[in-house]
Amino acid sequence: MVEYSSRSTGKHSSKLGLLSPEDKRSTGFEDKMSDMIAALVHASEKAAKIARACRLEESLFGLLIEEKKEGEKNKKFVTDFKTLADVLVQEVIKHDVGKQFPGIENNIFGEESNEFMNGLDSTFQYIKGVSDSKPNNNIYSCGLQCVTILIGVYDLHSGTPIMGVVNQPFAVQDPETQRWSGQYYWGISYGTTNVCSLGPHSKNGGVSSESNSMPAPQHLKKGSAADLEEERFSAVLSTGETVCVQTLLKEACGDNIHYAAGAGYKSLCVVLGFVDVYVFSEDTTFKWDCCSPHAILKSLGGGMADLKECLRRRQDGNREDCSELVYNVPVQDVKGADRWANKGGLVAYRSHKHLEAVLNLLSGISV
């Protein structure tokens, strides 16, 4: 799977199933991985420039938007849109990566091309173009900052993510020129190799997930919920999350619950250590939303779990085996984009103790 980002943060997603057993046995495999991540970063930066250029002229930009057809749209929305930037970004990634690695373009998939690539994540925020959104504890609830480009690579046989770039085309706006600059982050997790542009703790204005943990609310320090004090965590959610899950998480996290647009951006908030987890219990995120941040989280010692499958296993008495998202198996008996939906929801995390805290908290919900 391939997904992508900008200078060192952003969103567009695509998937690249590319690594055969022969590739892995070759003596130059590490060199190939280094070349590949460099190519993905370069492609993400080029894509981010396109995203910014398309957004410059408001009158022209309005002509570049069309509503998605049935089978393309996310069922979460009554109407769902794509822009010319989405399509251009995907094609640029396919062209540039395919040019450097001939033949691989046939295994690059994306949302807008009915393959695994998502030109721009949080297209709604991209279209609205809000530039004056203010962050709360480094987290933007809406605005252009929530737009990302995602490029992720997964193992064709096991389906596990091994490489990812997340690009944020609209990370910082110059107050004088009003021009935007982007950021990107990358990570590789394969075998015993775990390397990342961030290291174990974020150095780009973020804080580690450990130091970002807040004390448990006072009302949870007694009775049956007392054990949550040792499992305290912070979380980012979608405003479309179920009332049940929101209520449970609010009781556990108190004021340390945040809301943000874009699955890629919410995952990035976990990558950067702004929050400990991103939880989503619905089935309206897709493989192209997750592959790249999942790879980066793996390189940091975290991951992205299938929420409902983990809860099912716990209810069957299996508390040891955590089910991570995989990217090579479509959902059976459905058509269109839903073939690649995350049917069981997800939990993105940097620390296994925070995953455990979420699973303990939600263990009673219906799956």
Side-chain angles (χ1 to χ4, degrees):
M1 193 180 215
V2 174
E3 301 184 85
Y4 60 94
S5 155
S6 167
R7 180 176 104 224
S8 206
T9 324
K11 183 171 179 184
H12 267 53
S13 63
S14 55
K15 275 193 186 161
L16 189 58
L18 71 156
L19 297 174
S20 67
E22 292 74 22
D23 290 328
K24 299 167 193 175
R25 286 195 294 267
S26 66
T27 55
F29 180 54
E30 289 188 0
D31 290 338
K32 285 185 179 181
M33 292 181 74
S34 178
D35 291 344
M36 175 61 73
I37 197 69
L40 298 187
V41 166
H42 179 76
S44 81
E45 283 288 82
K46 194 169 181 179
K49 290 178 181 177
I50 291 172
R52 288 191 291 268
C54 287
R55 202 68 195 71
L56 276 178
E57 186 59 53
E58 193 68 35
S59 59
L60 176 62
F61 182 72
L63 302 176
L64 306 180
I65 303 168
E66 72 175 43
E67 185 175 350
K68 291 183 180 180
K69 300 178 177 65
E70 290 299 327
E72 293 181 315
K73 64 174 61 175
N74 188 329
K75 65 185 180 183
K76 178 180 177 182
F77 306 110
V78 176
T79 54
D80 197 5
F81 297 91
K82 64 182 177 182
T83 69
L84 179 62
D86 289 279
V87 179
L88 286 175
V89 162
Q90 292 183 170
E91 292 306 311
V92 162
I93 291 173
K94 292 180 71 172
H95 174 270
D96 286 12
V97 177
K99 185 176 180 180
Q100 187 166 346
F101 299 90
I104 207 171
E105 66 273 13
N106 297 323
N107 285 319
I108 299 178
F109 310 101
E111 181 182 22
E112 308 307 342
S113 59
N114 293 322
E115 302 171 320
F116 282 154
M117 195 191 303
N118 182 356
L120 284 168
D121 185 53
S122 202
T123 302
F124 181 66
Q125 298 299 323
Y126 183 61
I127 293 171
K128 287 182 67 178
V130 174
S131 60
D132 58 354
S133 178
K134 303 299 182 185
N136 176 21
N137 289 340
N138 298 309
I139 299 171
Y140 290 88
S141 62
C142 62
L144 285 169
Q145 292 89 343
C146 299
V147 175
T148 54
I149 294 170
L150 310 170
I151 309 176
V153 180
Y154 68 94
D155 185 290
L156 189 59
H157 299 283
S158 69
T160 58
I162 59 176
M163 188 182 303
V165 178
V166 176
N167 195 305
Q168 195 178 11
F170 303 95
V172 179
Q173 187 177 36
D174 188 297
E176 294 183 3
T177 66
Q178 301 300 299
R179 294 274 180 166
W180 288 93
S181 58
Q183 302 181 86
Y184 64 80
Y185 303 95
W186 59 265
I188 298 173
S189 179
Y190 182 75
T192 59
T193 299
N194 287 287
V195 292
C196 178
S197 58
L198 289 169
H201 303 294
S202 172
K203 303 297 185 184
N204 190 37
V207 295
S208 75
S209 58
E210 296 298 322
S211 61
N212 198 39
S213 296
M214 299 293 288
Q218 290 295 320
H219 70 284
L220 290 179
K221 293 186 177 182
K222 301 177 182 179
S224 61
D227 57 331
L228 287 176
E229 186 175 1
E230 295 303 317
E231 298 175 334
R232 57 189 181 271
F233 57 91
S234 55
V236 63
L237 306 176
S238 167
T239 55
E241 183 54 77
T242 65
V243 173
C244 174
V245 170
Q246 287 192 59
T247 300
L248 289 169
L249 287 168
K250 285 178 179 177
E251 288 178 354
C253 302
D255 294 335
N256 215 20
I257 286 284
H258 303 275
Y259 293 89
Y265 177 69
K266 286 190 280 283
S267 297
L268 180 62
C269 289
V270 182
V271 167
L272 296 177
F274 295 157
V275 291
D276 298 319
V277 295
Y278 159 37
V279 180
F280 191 58
S281 65
E282 299 292 281
D283 62 355
T284 51
T285 63
F286 298 86
K287 303 302 183 185
W288 47 74
D289 296 319
C290 300
C291 187
S292 63
H294 191 173
I296 300 174
L297 285 166
K298 277 186 64 186
S299 75
L300 290 165
M304 198 171 290
D306 181 321
L307 172 60
K308 292 185 179 177
E309 182 58 30
C310 287
L311 293 176
R312 284 190 197 98
R313 295 184 184 187
R314 284 182 164 241
Q315 291 171 5
D316 291 339
N318 183 356
R319 298 178 62 88
E320 303 299 325
D321 189 13
C322 173
S323 178
E324 291 282 303
L325 295 181
V326 293
Y327 298 88
N328 62 339
V329 181
V331 179
Q332 298 300 307
D333 303 321
V334 295
K335 297 180 180 179
D338 284 344
R339 295 177 68 236
W340 301 104
N342 297 312
K343 298 299 289 185
L346 63 89
V347 182
Y349 62 96
R350 277 183 62 156
S351 167
H352 282 271
K353 78 173 186 178
H354 294 129
L355 172 62
E356 282 294 308
V358 171
L359 297 179
N360 287 339
L361 186 70
L362 303 183
S363 60
I365 69 171
S366 174
V367 293

